[in-house]
Amino acid sequence: MSDSFAVAAVTDTLRAILQGAVGRQVPGAVVTARPPDEVTADRPAAALNVFLYRASVDGSWRNLDPVGTRPGETGRPALPLVLHYVLTPYASGDSQESTAHRILGAAMVALHDHAELGPEEIRRAAPFSDLHLQSEPVRITPVNVSTDDISKLWSAFQSQYRTSVAYEARIVLINSSLPGRAPLPVLSRGDQDRGPEAAASTAGPLPTLTAAVPETVRPGGKLTVTGTRFDGGEVLLRLTHPLLGGLEDRPALEVDATEARFKLPKDLAAGNWSAAVVLTAADGTQQATRALQVGVAPRLAEPLPLTAELGADGSARLEVRCAPPVHPGQRVQLIVGERPLDPEDAFANTTDRLRFRWPDARQGRHRLRLRVDDVESLPAVDAAGRPEFPTDAAVVVA
């Protein structure tokens, strides 16, 4: 999702793409974003005007849950916008219509080749917005406008009709400004936290992966996977991250036919990883199982607990250190009590320092949790092996 500057970011990105295409075909032509009547009054020598004449809400996207919200948590869904543009060429002189048609053709070819606005294109054209971090692409689609609608549009523009084409940009997701609520999770379920057990009675000829324990692990921790046919060759663990890519396959510490244990790298990035088992036979052939999702938990680093001052506007600013560092493109939240907070500044480089602003902060001591790509920091374990919330993972607001 993105911020409220996303509408301007789409317009600026379209202008940048069209300026490059139109400028090559018609030297000296400029791309503007003004109301059509103002462009007509200036009588430009050669120009293409990109005018946002309508913004609508996509009803189907309004029914989706907010990104990153877990069961039991609440939050407002993103505002899903569809932006409607009209592109109009302008020219003056003896060959004005021919020049205008060349401009229009170049613009339509450019948008035909840019059916989606790429993240790098958006970042270069609109560095003031974080639209380039939106997971859903912004697609540019031509729209057929009826003669009746064209007449109504240009009457509303209060300008003489010119040949033009219409496009829509879908979908632009803007974060809600209302805070969500993330209650503390349940640490154990029943006696010794025993869950349902199921046993399979069929086993095929190929290796299978059925479970990974624990589902969330710390960097450098041990991961146990269960399945079948692990005795068919050398057992390796293959880890893949949707943003960071894959790592070198890791050998197992212990292996039997149905279980293998691995030690994870200490510098493994937090977030959701895909874990698959790869078996290498004596002849060098490899067979890989299906992948399971494994969460790698972040950790709030020292010094803890944090201290913060309540500002005159009722807000507090918190700066935390995290381990491992987070990478650009990862979604990070600091949960203060039951209040999720997004970073105050977007980070363009890998960092272990994050700053947050807590509006309507309250004095007192509040528990802290760190969430990276929907994976939360893990609770501590007491001397008896029971999970507990760490006492130092907190902020004291004075």
Side-chain angles (χ1 to χ4, degrees), residues 43 45 91-100:
R43 300 186 61 82
S92 59
D94 296 336
S95 58
Q96 59 178 344
E97 287 305 313
S98 176
T99 302

Side-chain angles (χ1 to χ4, degrees), residues 1-2 6 119 130-138 171-174:
M1 295 184 289
S2 50
D130 61 2
L131 177 62
H132 62 282
L133 299 179
Q134 177 177 293
S135 58
E136 186 70 19
V138 180
I171 186 79
V172 179
L173 301 173
I174 299 180

Side-chain angles (χ1 to χ4, degrees), residues 156-174:
F157 294 160
Q158 296 184 359
S159 179
Q160 186 176 1
Y161 170 76
R162 295 190 62 87
T163 302
S164 56
V165 291
Y167 287 85
E168 70 175 24
R170 177 193 301 264
I171 186 79
V172 179
L173 301 173
I174 299 180

Side-chain angles (χ1 to χ4, degrees), residues 80-386:
L81 293 182
V82 181
L83 306 180
H84 303 262
Y85 292 89
V86 60
L87 276 58
T88 309
Y90 294 85
S92 59
D94 296 336
S95 58
Q96 59 178 344
E97 287 305 313
S98 176
T99 302
H101 294 170
R102 289 166 57 194
I103 293 173
L104 183 62
M108 295 181 71
V109 170
L111 295 186
H112 177 73
D113 293 339
H114 288 78
E116 292 183 0
L117 300 184
E120 188 60 27
E121 291 175 326
I122 298 174
R123 189 185 65 81
R124 286 198 304 264
F128 53 83
S129 173
D130 61 2
L131 177 62
H132 62 282
L133 299 179
Q134 177 177 293
S135 58
E136 186 70 19
V138 180
R139 295 180 173 87
I140 308 300
T141 308
V143 178
N144 291 324
V145 183
S146 66
T147 303
D148 184 52
D149 289 337
I150 290 176
S151 175
K152 293 178 180 178
L153 273 179
W154 285 91
S155 297
F157 294 160
Q158 296 184 359
S159 179
Q160 186 176 1
Y161 170 76
R162 295 190 62 87
T163 302
S164 56
V165 291
Y167 287 85
E168 70 175 24
R170 177 193 301 264
I171 186 79
V172 179
L173 301 173
I174 299 180
N175 284 321
S176 172
S177 60
L178 297 179
R181 182 175 177 271
L184 292 170
V186 176
L187 296 183
S188 61
R189 294 161 292 183
D191 185 30
Q192 299 182 5
D193 196 23
R194 291 177 177 173
E197 297 181 1
S201 59
T202 59
L206 300 179
T208 62
L209 180 62
T210 57
V213 180
E215 294 182 355
T216 303
V217 63
R218 291 184 174 88
K222 292 184 178 180
L223 182 70
T224 300
V225 298
T226 58
T228 60
R229 305 289 185 182
F230 287 176
D231 53 355
E234 181 186 10
V235 178
L236 301 173
L237 179 68
R238 179 167 295 171
L239 294 172
T240 308
H241 192 278
L243 182 66
L244 306 177
L247 302 180
E248 183 178 353
D249 294 346
R250 301 186 65 82
L253 299 176
E254 301 176 36
V255 181
D256 59 33
T258 60
E259 191 172 272
R261 298 174 182 85
F262 301 88
K263 184 174 179 58
L264 301 182
K266 292 183 179 180
D267 59 351
L268 194 61
N272 289 311
W273 289 79
S274 294
V277 170
V278 180
L279 267 69
T280 304
D283 59 0
T285 59
Q286 290 188 331
Q287 295 176 331
T289 67
R290 70 185 182 99
L292 295 179
Q293 182 171 287
V294 175
V296 176
R299 177 175 59 86
L300 290 168
E302 301 292 340
L304 290 172
L306 300 179
T307 58
E309 296 287 338
L310 193 62
D313 59 351
S315 66
R317 281 178 164 78
L318 314 179
E319 181 172 341
V320 301
R321 293 192 59 192
C322 64
V326 293
H327 297 262
Q330 289 193 292
R331 179 176 170 83
V332 180
Q333 285 186 317
L334 180 68
I335 304 175
V336 184
E338 296 185 354
R339 175 71 179 274
L341 303 178
D342 293 321
E344 186 174 21
D345 304 311
F347 48 93
N349 300 305
T350 302
T351 181
D352 64 351
R353 294 182 181 272
L354 301 167
R355 291 187 295 272
F356 300 85
R357 179 179 176 271
W358 182 12
D360 303 324
R362 302 189 307 274
Q363 291 181 330
R365 187 183 183 94
H366 308 274
R367 297 187 187 276
L368 292 180
R369 290 173 286 156
L370 185 64
R371 181 181 294 178
V372 177
D373 290 340
D374 201 31
V375 181
E376 281 191 11
S377 49
L378 291 174
V381 179
D382 63 12
R386 295 186 297 267

